[in-house]
Amino acid sequence: MRTEAFSEVQTGYAVARKPTIWEVLTSEKYFKWTLLIPLLVVLAIFMLYPLLYCAYYSFHQWGMRGEAIYVGAQNYRQLLNDKAFLEALYRTLKVLVICVSCELLIGLGLALLWSREFPGENIVRGLALLPLLVAPLILSLLWNFMFEYDFGAVNLILQALGLNKVYWWSPQRALYTICFITIWQWFPFSTFVLVAGLRSLPRDVFEAAKVDGASPWYTFRRLTLPMLSPLIMIIVVLRTMWLIRLFDPLYGTTRGGVQTELLDWIVYRTAFVYFDIGYGSTMAIFSLVLTIAVCAIMFKMLMRALGGTR
Amino acid sequence: MRHRGIVGGLVVALVLVCSFAVLAQEKFGLKDIPEIKNKKPINMIVETGAAWDKVIEYIKQFETVTGVKVNIERVASPVVYSKENVELMAGTGYYDVVYVETSWTCEWSDYLFDLEELAAKYDPKGVEGFREDIQNISPVLLRCGQAYGKQMVLPFYTYHMGMFLRQDVYDDPTEQAAFKAKYGYDLKPPTTYKELYDQAEFFTRKKGDTLKGKTLDHDLYGVAMMAGAYQINDEISCWIWGMGGDYATVVKNPDGTIKEFVITKKDKDILKQALTQYKDLLKFAPAGCLTANFDFACAQQGEGFAIIQPHQFASLFTWTADLLKEKVPDGRLGIYPTVGGQPYTGAWSLGVAKASKNPEAAYWLVRYIASYDCQKVLMKEGGQFSARMDLLLDPEFHSPETEYPLGLVCSYLVDIWKQQAPYVDNYWYFNTRAGGKVYEMQMNVLHKPMAEEVTVDECVEELVAKTIELTSKFDTVPIREE
Amino acid sequence: MSTLGKVVFWLVTAFVLFVIVAPLAWIYLTAFKSPNDIFTTEARKLIFFKPTMENFNRLFREFPFWDNFLNTVIISVASTVVVMVISSLAAYSFARWNTGKGHLLFTTISTRMFPGVVAAIPFFVMYRNLGLLDTRFGLALLHIYFNTSFATFLLYGFFKEIPEELEQAAMVDGYSRVDIFRKIVLPLVRPGLAVTAVFCLVWSWNEFLFSFLFTRVAARPVTVLISSFWGSIEVQYGPMAAGAAIVILPTLVAAWFMQRYIIRGLTFGAVKG
């Protein structure tokens, strides 16, 4: 089934006929770009448009009513001096570090525990997926209630066990409660990725190490971890990207109060409540640049790792 | 002499007959809506909750009688503003009937019809008929629903605030004696900050102490407050208004138009004092108040854990009283003016959007929902409080069965409106186009000092700066700081 | 495994499962509780209470629950199908030829790095002009935008697993590029496709922000309905839990069937010896 625009030389003379569009698109040279056409269309409409829109308005002052006033880089200068914004940024980075490291540690621990086959593994794994399947917004409303000081299930159980009630939403503790909710919902993600990773590690290397008398710790440090590193990188990249945008847990609980205002919450307030499109766009562009900077480094490391082990 | 007697008697008789005629005049109701020529369906957005659950059933009657379909979108209360704002700002013209908190009225005045304009156009009784019906509505709430002198919206239910306290505890002789012994004056509902502070302190007790002579099996708190980033600004409003201040002072020209807004030194000092006092009071409140919305604060009092709610929406009185009756059988609530006598006021109201494709039907729907019959349903079944004085004074709500809790609140509202009426015109919220935006901003900024994120001074600074920023952006009236 | 090892294993597993399942069990219990049993301080009321169907009745009777549910199904399934088509084509291109030298792939992923709330505003204006507000089609388009980056990235990993030798052998045999893709590569990545499809479906199913902003009544998905039980007096946890209890079920079923594929599928080929 050759799809060549030129028939065989074997016939003695070349019969050149004009290639059809389809043949051009699926030819060796262009096929890889043809495959990308739908994606590029989506990107152009849905990514370029808001980006350009916001970039434009970040240099203006506009409240969606009346004229947009050009103000140059004033919004950016204001942003860098905005104490509330910088606080929110700091808190977001704090949450990011805590959540990613906890999810990774818990994920790795559980993955090691569950990577072997055991009775009831389908049920366990099925149930362990649950937190990922529930709408984040519903969860935030429900966790708000569960961590309630007097009526919440958590404190009721603590009391029943004879312990003291804990004030989960105190200004000192609330941010960590938010971290807990996030980790609770997302640890199955890292767990499953790592279980799959452990499952496909080649047996022979580990057999050899055992024969050589290597300790479990040595095997883990020198063999398992390095071989898992690309997967760990993928988890870190994806989770970082999503955590900088963390929003849902706040919506039904603190709503940015008790010292838990995160980046996307202050952006939400600016763009969506005050409708300060100019300043909100500035914040958005800033977040985008920040996220790209943070993720690009990790992404490069990941690409190198993926390219290397093939 | 006899002639004068007869003439006098005739005049009296005439007056009596006329009065009866006026009183016997039927109130505006469903049957008074004329045939609506425009049959296009109308759209409205409302919040979820029992009030609308009940009223929606009555809207169905409206649909049947007028032949106009009403599409209702129900959303969570905290997001009504965002959703409507997006649609209004983007000019989609989707909502015909607009659901408005009165502090947003000026802000949205460009998008709404002057209701009298619609009355002149569509009401067979004209503006006169409109005015006659609404004279039964609280003048205070009507004023809140006006922008620059024009009636933009009619109230649906009011959330005017009041102080809820445990009447049974205040009437208890043991407590009264103990209080007098400790503080030197009689135990009465507080009218000054010092009294409130004393009483809050007095009633904050540990498990094992006594209340009304009985041992407590739980901790007791003097007050329950909504210090979370939800409604704290309403509570602060009670304080600053009560102390004679405001978020910005409205300066008017001799002809009544607004000249400028000035955030005076007095305003700032009063705000500082209010925030400091509020923060001080928090030590007599349960821990959860820092993230509390009204449901939590009411639940604390209803469960019997807190004695006083210094400021709470009067519309929640019935719910709290019912909860209290269940949890503390001999408990009873009382409602009084907040300290300073100028509680936060306003109502969820309904208006007609200028971009509406069927303003005729929208106008009649608004009139219908604000009418006596619908409002009665709201009060009897929906558990909220109407803004109509004729309803609040209706003997049906002041019988022995209904006096507690309904009648109590009705009387309170009528009284506080009389008391507060002279001041409402000058409250800043109801005179500025930036009202809605500033309100939302305050929810976040005023909470911060309570959560120890900033000091009171920093908070006042930020509030003033942001108020000026937002007002400059969204209003045409100049604003400055003194 | 030693007996002690087994005990530790099952203790930890049981604890983890409890932490996961307990809050979700709360949803199912609350769906059957009356308001007084929800706002109570008695711990035993957590489990022992008089069940009532009132929450479900209210949900079905007073709200367009099933209409909204249908909207969710249509939007999620339609957008997932389209996402799968777009993403598998693109991911194959990135995996086989490294088109764009990694920059284009990174750009694709970075679509999720922009705050959704801000992107919503230009979209809202665009949709108003195009008449796409409150339409299922309009919302599905946004979900497609929302999921493409993740799907492309994930499928990239799966496509990278396929050894190049296989494809080269097929070319020698006379297969065209299109046929290689359709008849050889696609069947091999079926587990990966299943995994990605389930995640896209679940996220579209549970999406809130765009669904809330861009729909009103006609195209409203069920997540917006459930979250609207934040009423004027109190959060109506009863009907909210009832709604959530029903909405979780299809995702549970989908995930249950896919979890076997998920384990096999999440390999990424990165650690094959």
Side-chain angles (χ1 to χ4, degrees):
Chain A
M1 272 197 317
R2 307 211 99 143
T3 53
E4 285 189 346
F6 296 90
S7 48
E8 294 297 315
V9 172
Q10 287 162 340
T11 58
Y13 50 93
V15 180
R17 59 184 168 85
K18 203 159 169 298
T20 66
I21 305 265
W22 178 251
E23 284 167 345
V24 170
L25 284 178
T26 56
S27 68
E28 205 50 42
K29 193 166 161 209
Y30 292 114
F31 191 50
K32 59 183 177 186
W33 292 103
T34 314
L35 288 170
L36 283 183
I37 291 176
L39 179 70
L40 292 175
V41 168
V42 170
L43 284 183
I45 302 176
F46 289 100
M47 192 181 140
L48 266 190
Y49 168 58
L51 197 58
L52 294 174
Y53 186 96
C54 289
Y56 175 74
Y57 282 112
S58 68
F59 294 106
H60 293 73
Q61 187 179 295
W62 191 47
M64 244 183 144
R65 267 171 120 159
E67 295 299 304
I69 311 167
Y70 179 73
V71 290
Q74 184 189 311
N75 283 335
Y76 287 94
R77 258 173 292 168
Q78 192 182 342
L79 191 68
L80 292 173
N81 288 321
D82 190 339
K83 194 164 159 254
F85 181 77
L86 294 173
E87 281 275 351
L89 190 61
Y90 169 67
R91 278 193 212 112
T92 309
L93 293 175
K94 199 158 122 175
V95 166
L96 172 67
V97 169
I98 296 177
C99 288
V100 172
S101 32
C102 286
E103 284 173 36
L104 214 46
L105 285 173
I106 297 177
L108 199 55
L110 286 178
L112 287 170
L113 201 68
W114 288 347
S115 56
R116 280 171 265 234
E117 284 170 6
F118 58 91
E121 57 177 358
N122 276 331
I123 302 178
V124 170
R125 283 196 240 117
L127 286 176
L129 262 182
L130 274 179
L132 275 175
L133 302 179
V134 187
L137 192 79
I138 312 281
L139 283 183
S140 90
L141 284 171
L142 291 171
W143 276 114
N144 185 41
F145 191 69
M146 291 215 251
F147 276 124
E148 181 96 84
Y149 189 68
D150 288 301
F151 310 115
V154 176
N155 272 354
L156 288 185
I157 295 180
L158 283 180
Q159 267 192 312
L161 292 175
L163 301 164
N164 278 327
K165 294 199 281 199
V166 177
Y167 184 31
W168 298 101
W169 298 114
S170 79
Q172 292 74 32
R173 197 172 282 127
L175 197 63
Y176 300 106
T177 312
I178 298 283
C179 287
F180 173 83
I181 297 176
T182 312
I183 296 171
W184 180 88
Q185 193 178 20
W186 284 97
F187 81 84
F189 181 73
S190 47
T191 311
F192 274 82
V193 171
L194 292 173
V195 166
L198 282 174
R199 274 270 169 106
S200 42
L201 291 181
R203 284 280 170 87
D204 39 340
V205 179
F206 288 90
E207 305 276 306
K210 225 182 192 177
V211 163
D212 284 347
S215 72
W217 177 242
Y218 181 85
T219 345
F220 180 71
R221 209 162 50 94
R222 286 306 179 94
L223 292 175
T224 323
L225 267 188
M227 285 200 254
L228 281 180
S229 58
L231 277 182
I232 295 182
M233 287 259 67
I234 289 181
I235 295 174
V236 173
V237 169
L238 284 177
R239 288 302 294 143
T240 302
M241 198 166 77
W242 292 329
L243 279 168
I244 296 186
R245 301 267 72 83
L246 191 63
F247 181 85
D248 295 312
L250 293 178
Y251 193 83
T253 56
T254 60
R255 296 186 76 83
V258 281
Q259 303 196 28
T260 59
E261 185 160 58
L262 296 176
L263 189 58
D264 256 29
W265 189 264
I266 196 171
V267 173
Y268 164 73
R269 271 199 303 131
T270 311
F272 230 74
V273 178
Y274 310 156
F275 270 84
D276 191 347
I277 310 294
Y279 197 50
S281 300
T282 317
M283 286 185 182
I285 302 278
F286 183 87
S287 312
L288 178 66
V289 170
L290 175 75
T291 319
I292 289 180
V294 170
C295 290
I297 308 170
M298 289 190 276
F299 186 77
K300 265 215 170 63
M301 287 166 37
L302 172 68
M303 287 295 111
R304 227 175 293 142
L306 268 183
T309 50
R310 275 213 77 245
Chain B
M1 269 305 186
R2 258 192 313 158
H3 280 246
R4 243 187 280 160
I6 295 174
V7 168
L10 275 174
V11 167
V12 171
L14 197 62
V15 167
L16 280 173
V17 167
C18 286
S19 318
F20 274 121
V22 166
L23 285 172
Q25 214 166 45
E26 300 245 324
K27 298 201 193 292
F28 171 79
L30 192 56
K31 54 181 168 18
D32 295 305
I33 301 180
E35 203 214 318
I36 297 179
K37 295 192 187 62
N38 188 339
K39 298 289 188 197
K40 288 209 187 82
I42 54 179
N43 303 314
M44 67 190 287
I45 178 175
V46 302
E47 50 178 357
T48 38
W52 279 107
D53 285 344
K54 297 298 169 205
V55 172
I56 285 177
E57 293 166 29
Y58 279 76
I59 294 182
K60 295 210 177 73
Q61 289 180 19
F62 175 89
E63 287 182 305
T64 329
V65 167
T66 61
V68 176
K69 184 144 183 359
V70 181
N71 296 321
I72 303 180
E73 181 186 342
R74 306 191 70 181
V75 296
S77 307
V79 299
V80 174
Y81 181 77
S82 306
K83 191 79 205 285
E84 283 189 294
N85 218 351
V86 173
E87 300 266 358
L88 285 175
M89 293 291 207
T92 56
Y94 179 72
Y95 297 119
D96 299 280
V97 175
V98 178
Y99 194 47
V100 188
E101 254 197 48
T102 40
S103 45
W104 317 336
T105 316
C106 281
E107 185 178 322
W108 291 356
S109 56
D110 285 341
Y111 303 117
L112 299 174
F113 271 112
D114 175 359
L115 288 174
E116 290 198 350
E117 203 182 299
L118 291 176
K121 199 164 170 197
Y122 299 117
D123 198 334
K125 293 213 192 109
V127 178
E128 284 309 309
F130 175 74
R131 288 203 187 141
E132 192 189 312
D133 186 29
I134 67 169
Q135 74 186 0
N136 291 301
I137 300 179
S138 153
V140 166
L141 294 179
L142 281 180
R143 166 63 187 89
C144 297
Q146 286 172 5
Y148 313 110
K150 307 210 195 91
Q151 193 68 44
M152 308 254 87
V153 295
L154 290 182
F156 174 58
Y157 73 80
T158 174
Y159 41 75
H160 202 108
M161 280 182 136
M163 167 158 27
F164 297 5
L165 47 79
R166 283 280 298 276
Q167 192 65 54
D168 59 305
V169 172
Y170 274 68
D171 291 341
D172 183 76
T174 335
E175 295 296 333
Q176 284 175 345
F179 185 82
K180 182 102 185 254
K182 186 163 178 198
Y183 294 95
Y185 59 93
D186 287 329
L187 178 64
K188 276 192 309 11
T191 52
T192 67
Y193 176 72
K194 175 162 187 324
E195 287 170 15
L196 178 59
Y197 188 90
D198 288 342
Q199 289 167 22
E201 182 183 57
F202 179 66
F203 287 119
T204 304
R205 302 173 189 174
K206 290 270 158 219
K207 181 167 159 176
D209 287 347
T210 57
L211 178 71
K212 298 202 312 180
K214 285 198 284 238
T215 320
L216 290 167
D217 62 351
H218 52 76
D219 286 343
L220 187 69
Y221 297 94
V223 291
M225 300 166 26
M226 309 184 273
Y230 289 95
Q231 306 282 176
I232 184 175
N233 52 340
D234 293 339
E235 301 197 303
I236 302 291
S237 299
C238 296
W239 289 104
I240 66 172
W241 289 349
M243 291 195 262
D246 204 341
Y247 297 107
T249 308
V250 181
V251 178
K252 292 202 173 139
N253 288 317
D255 63 357
T257 53
I258 302 172
K259 179 170 170 219
E260 60 170 355
F261 301 130
V262 186
I263 304 183
T264 62
K265 191 159 180 323
K266 179 179 166 205
D267 288 333
K268 284 188 281 189
D269 287 339
I270 286 180
L271 182 58
K272 267 191 206 143
Q273 194 185 342
L275 288 171
T276 316
Q277 287 176 349
Y278 188 95
K279 197 165 169 201
D280 258 347
L281 213 53
L282 269 179
K283 55 177 183 284
F284 304 124
C289 286
L290 272 180
T291 47
N293 199 356
F294 44 73
D295 52 352
F296 177 81
C298 286
Q300 288 295 316
Q301 194 175 37
E303 293 271 343
F305 298 157
I307 299 295
I308 310 171
Q309 284 195 74
H311 13 58
Q312 187 49 272
F313 304 112
S315 45
L316 297 172
F317 192 83
T318 335
W319 187 67
T320 316
D322 286 343
L323 191 60
L324 186 68
K325 190 149 51 158
E326 226 190 276
K327 304 288 181 176
V328 182
D330 57 341
R332 271 178 79 95
L333 287 180
I335 182 168
Y336 295 91
T338 56
V339 171
Q342 294 195 47
Y344 178 68
T345 178
W348 272 109
S349 312
L350 296 161
V352 178
K354 272 204 182 123
S356 166
K357 300 201 175 53
N358 191 349
E360 187 183 356
Y363 168 76
W364 286 117
L365 183 59
V366 170
R367 289 285 308 277
Y368 173 59
I369 298 179
S371 72
Y372 187 86
D373 298 323
C374 254
Q375 292 282 302
K376 196 165 192 182
V377 169
L378 172 74
M379 279 190 66
K380 284 182 77 170
E381 299 173 42
Q384 293 282 21
F385 289 92
S386 169
R388 291 185 72 102
M389 312 272 263
D390 50 1
L391 208 50
L392 293 181
L393 292 172
D394 193 311
E396 194 175 336
F397 298 114
H398 294 276
S399 70
E401 299 88 47
T402 56
E403 180 65 24
Y404 179 79
L406 278 178
L408 213 60
V409 181
C410 295
S411 313
Y412 165 74
L413 285 174
V414 174
D415 286 336
I416 195 78
W417 286 334
K418 248 186 248 145
Q419 207 179 309
Q420 223 175 337
Y423 304 102
V424 178
D425 200 34
N426 285 319
Y427 289 152
W428 182 70
Y429 279 137
F430 308 119
N431 283 300
T432 172
R433 276 226 169 82
K437 302 270 187 288
V438 172
Y439 185 89
E440 297 274 326
M441 176 271 295
Q442 289 170 340
M443 285 190 206
N444 177 277
V445 173
L446 289 176
H447 161 83
K448 286 200 201 156
M450 311 309 156
E452 313 260 358
E453 198 173 321
V454 300
T455 63
V456 168
D457 288 325
E458 286 170 346
C459 169
V460 172
E461 233 178 88
E462 190 185 348
L463 192 76
V464 169
K466 285 235 162 74
T467 306
I468 294 183
E469 188 190 321
L470 286 170
T471 314
S472 317
K473 277 188 183 150
F474 293 102
D475 202 343
T476 49
V477 174
I479 181 168
R480 64 184 172 87
E481 186 185 348
E482 203 174 62
Chain C
M1 248 204 291
S2 64
T3 336
L4 178 65
K6 275 214 185 85
V7 169
V8 169
F9 175 83
W10 284 109
L11 265 178
V12 174
T13 305
F15 177 70
V16 170
L17 285 183
F18 175 73
V19 170
I20 291 175
V21 173
L24 300 169
W26 187 87
I27 297 180
Y28 282 91
L29 290 173
T30 307
F32 294 98
K33 285 187 189 171
S34 66
N36 288 333
D37 289 333
I38 300 175
F39 281 98
T40 175
T41 52
E42 299 172 52
R44 34 163 242 114
K45 278 271 173 73
L46 277 177
I47 310 183
F48 302 106
F49 56 91
K50 188 157 153 236
T52 162
M53 289 297 290
E54 185 52 29
N55 294 325
F56 289 97
N57 287 337
R58 268 201 69 206
L59 192 63
F60 301 148
R61 199 181 47 217
E62 296 175 28
F63 298 92
F65 182 77
W66 294 111
D67 288 335
N68 292 160
F69 193 78
L70 184 66
N71 286 336
T72 302
V73 171
I74 294 177
I75 294 171
S76 303
V77 170
S79 67
T80 303
V81 166
V82 176
V83 167
M84 292 309 293
V85 169
I86 298 178
S87 299
S88 23
L89 294 177
Y92 180 62
S93 173
F94 288 130
R96 174 61 52 239
W97 290 282
N98 203 16
T99 326
K101 297 189 188 46
H103 296 307
L104 212 51
L105 179 61
F106 186 74
T107 311
T108 315
I109 299 170
S110 68
T111 52
R112 287 284 286 272
M113 295 185 191
F114 197 73
V117 278
V118 185
I121 294 173
F123 284 140
F124 199 86
V125 172
M126 178 169 90
Y127 270 46
R128 177 203 62 188
N129 293 334
L130 294 174
L132 286 173
L133 287 174
D134 206 17
T135 59
R136 290 192 279 238
F137 176 66
L139 189 60
L141 282 180
L142 286 173
H143 282 194
I144 291 171
Y145 151 68
F146 186 74
N147 274 326
T148 308
S149 66
F150 168 76
T152 311
F153 191 43
L154 203 56
L155 285 172
Y156 168 77
F158 296 139
F159 277 115
K160 261 219 170 294
E161 273 192 3
I162 313 296
E164 227 175 312
E165 300 79 47
L166 259 177
E167 297 186 41
Q168 276 159 1
M171 281 189 66
V172 168
D173 282 348
Y175 281 85
S176 71
R177 276 290 178 196
V178 179
D179 284 334
I180 294 177
F181 180 67
R182 259 182 33 202
K183 298 192 177 166
I184 301 184
V185 177
L186 270 188
L188 285 176
V189 290
R190 231 181 302 165
L193 293 175
V195 170
T196 315
V198 167
F199 272 129
C200 288
L201 192 75
V202 169
W203 284 335
S204 174
W205 194 269
N206 291 331
E207 201 275 327
F208 176 73
L209 183 69
F210 287 144
S211 309
F212 168 66
L213 286 175
F214 288 81
T215 66
R216 303 160 183 142
V217 177
R220 178 188 267 204
V222 80
T223 25
V224 182
L225 172 65
I226 297 177
S227 62
S228 77
F229 282 107
W230 206 340
S232 57
I233 295 192
E234 81 278 16
V235 181
Q236 299 173 323
Y237 287 107
M240 191 167 77
I246 299 180
V247 167
I248 296 176
L249 291 177
T251 55
L252 250 181
V253 168
W256 185 267
F257 278 116
M258 291 308 148
Q259 59 93 16
R260 282 175 291 153
Y261 272 137
I262 288 178
I263 290 300
R264 278 183 47 206
L266 276 177
T267 316
F268 292 123
V271 289
K272 273 215 174 70

